[in-house]
Amino acid sequence: MGTSPEAYVLVLLCLFLSSGHGIQALSYDYYATTEARKYFLSCLKEPQRAQYGGGIIANPEFTNGIEGWSVFGKGAIKGGVSEDGNRYIIAHTRTHSLDSFSQKVQFEEGKIYSFSAWVQVKNGSENVVVVFRRASGELIPGGRVTAMDGCWSFLKGGIVANFSSGPADILFKSNNTDLEIWVDSVSLQPFTMEQWRSHQDQSIHKERKRKVKFQLSHPNKTMEGAIVSIKQTRPSFPFGCAMNNAIINNKNYQNWFASRFKYTTFVNEMKWYSTENVQGRENYADADAMLKFAEANGIHVRGHNIFWDDPKYQMDWVKNLSPDQLRVAAEKRIRSVVSRYKGKLIAWDVMNENLHFSFFEDKLGKDASAVYFALARQLDPGTTLFMNEYNTIEESGDGTANPANYIRKFKEILSYRGNDGVSAAIGLEGHFGPNQPNLAYIRASLDTLASTGWPIWLTEVDVKGSPNQAWHLEQVLREGHSHPGVKGIIMWALPAAAGSADTTLADINFKNTPSGDVVDKLFNEWKFKTTEIKADSEGSFEVSLFHGDYDITIKDQFTNSSTYLNYKLTEHDIRDTLQVHVNAF
């Protein structure tokens, strides 16, 4: 059995009335406390207790030796005991990557399964992947961790059972068969979609709103019965959408966009291949015109991107440069684009997709990304700098861009000289396929990434077409908005009038598609609805507000005199109930 921590993770308990099963108490892990963060990022001498008491796992903490577990493949398994008496399981004498221990569990179609375990390997360091093997032989990866010798690392992930109910084996995969795999405190907890949604709603209420108690006062009269009107003028959570150059001359597109979104990213117009397609001939006309439109309509813009590490998107003239010539051209590029838009943007995607690709690193050395982060900071100090990547939350089977690798790479960049204290953030593109999004893996990945303390943005959210596209988009957006580590969401979507896109929000006449209906519904749901309240006998009233800017009008119902107040509620005040005193009339 693992040791009980003094502070493991911040636990949020929500009660959910499950049809036919009464009230169930659900616990969800969060990274939020400083003490809790180390459990995601550090190796521990002893593992922690199994989440959810192990869920549906038999003998999850190996209290009864290896009872309930069996060998898989051609290796061997045995029990282990630490100096402190903690018991765990060991796979050894392995010849194949999947040779390990296993336990058969029953999956129910449509349920979400949160998985976790504590892992280490003997005599080395190696990625260990949890894999679910269905009766058909299909292997479904559910998460991974870089395990090390001498300490325990936390593997957190999961799957969604978008397949027929039936049995599956839990396996642990490691490509280095010379290493023993040690595992303890295994947990697999099922949730219905309704339970998952219930927690999302409660988390949004906790993380994006606050109770505010207003106390009205007047030196000469009571404020009982005063009528207070509250109107939200701007939400503080950035929820936006990409735009492209079709907006420059299309008034309908402009009206459609400006009426909905206050945050954006230009699809192509700031990229190097758009601004200098021919060497030495820079053209910022489209980007300038789009920025002018954004500024005129109070729309904040993310700079996307300074460099793209994918060789496929380099111009031929760039590919043909020598390393010295490329170094000169790249410095000219970054100085040109960043200086041009200095102070006008809320962010820069400094290096795009440099976990999957390494064009600049291959040509200019392994520190190329770090060098350009330092230069971007020098040219535009204070603007938040992102490393932007795909498949970190979308695909549990993509080992290249998994959360552990993302954190490792970003730490390397930020530890480079000149990058100390830089305003940095995690950029997760969020390009999802046509199938059910793996909400358990998304949440586990966000938990791991958020444990670093860096803010997270979902920067390019879209979902490929399917009959359930709108529903899948809603699930992704709700999962992002409900996670306390996520500080902004930009959708990679367009109206049909702007060209083709995986996710289209409006048809050629700017009428909503089903996905557009989802976006409008969420906008309405995630904002405070204008309301009137009467002050009580003490001249006070309490209201739950989303973070954002508000216009408040206080009217004396007898004299019709009024007081007007601008109020800003920020996420930084974490008190359960805020007290606001207002001297009226």
Side-chain angles (χ1 to χ4, degrees), residues 394-471:
E394 299 98 308
E395 293 290 343
S396 61
D398 189 338
T400 300
N402 68 77
N405 281 353
Y406 188 109
I407 292 169
R408 175 192 55 77
K409 179 69 173 180
F410 210 21
K411 281 186 172 180
E412 288 177 2
I413 289 172
L414 298 182
S415 64
Y416 184 79
R417 64 183 182 276
N419 287 333
D420 291 343
V422 66
S423 177
I426 292 171
L428 307 176
E429 293 181 13
H431 296 298
F432 290 86
N435 297 323
Q436 166 71 43
N438 187 345
L439 299 178
Y441 184 75
I442 296 171
R443 181 172 296 179
S445 298
L446 291 175
D447 283 348
T448 301
L449 292 163
S451 66
T452 63
W454 296 318
I456 299 169
W457 280 56
L458 309 188
T459 57
E460 304 179 20
V461 174
D462 63 6
V463 176
K464 288 191 179 298
S466 75
N468 295 315
Q469 182 186 44
W471 169 228

Side-chain angles (χ1 to χ4, degrees), residues 271-311:
K271 293 172 182 172
W272 197 2
Y273 60 62
S274 294
T275 63
E276 195 181 3
N277 190 255
V278 177
Q279 187 174 14
R281 298 183 186 174
E282 291 186 336
N283 184 349
Y284 287 97
D286 282 356
D288 286 351
M290 292 166 68
L291 183 61
K292 182 178 179 181
F293 163 75
E295 290 176 335
N297 289 276
I299 299 167
H300 300 288
V301 179
R302 299 184 70 258
H304 178 75
N305 52 54
I306 298 175
F307 295 112
W308 195 347
D309 237 345
D310 189 344

Side-chain angles (χ1 to χ4, degrees), residues 276-432:
E276 195 181 3
N277 190 255
V278 177
Q279 187 174 14
R281 298 183 186 174
E282 291 186 336
N283 184 349
Y284 287 97
D286 282 356
D288 286 351
M290 292 166 68
L291 183 61
K292 182 178 179 181
F293 163 75
E295 290 176 335
N297 289 276
I299 299 167
H300 300 288
V301 179
R302 299 184 70 258
H304 178 75
N305 52 54
I306 298 175
F307 295 112
W308 195 347
D309 237 345
D310 189 344
K312 182 171 64 176
Y313 295 105
Q314 310 307 324
M315 295 81 75
D316 286 342
W317 71 263
V318 170
K319 293 178 182 178
N320 292 329
L321 297 175
S322 69
D324 286 342
Q325 290 171 330
L326 177 60
R327 187 171 287 106
V328 171
E331 182 170 343
K332 177 176 176 289
R333 154 64 180 176
I334 189 172
R335 289 187 180 278
S336 174
V337 70
V338 177
S339 298
R340 187 179 193 90
Y341 300 118
K342 175 184 177 180
K344 297 180 180 180
L345 309 178
I346 60 171
W348 283 108
D349 288 331
V350 179
M351 190 60 75
N352 203 47
E353 299 176 359
N354 65 328
L355 285 173
H356 284 96
F357 308 106
S358 56
F359 175 82
F360 291 93
E361 288 81 358
D362 293 343
K363 296 279 189 178
L364 304 178
K366 66 180 181 64
D367 290 330
S369 294
V371 168
Y372 293 128
F373 266 80
L375 185 52
R377 179 201 195 179
Q378 176 186 328
L379 294 169
D380 193 3
T383 298
T384 303
L385 306 182
F386 283 74
M387 185 177 84
N388 200 44
E389 192 54 80
Y390 70 91
N391 273 2
T392 305
I393 59 173
E394 299 98 308
E395 293 290 343
S396 61
D398 189 338
T400 300
N402 68 77
N405 281 353
Y406 188 109
I407 292 169
R408 175 192 55 77
K409 179 69 173 180
F410 210 21
K411 281 186 172 180
E412 288 177 2
I413 289 172
L414 298 182
S415 64
Y416 184 79
R417 64 183 182 276
N419 287 333
D420 291 343
V422 66
S423 177
I426 292 171
L428 307 176
E429 293 181 13
H431 296 298
F432 290 86

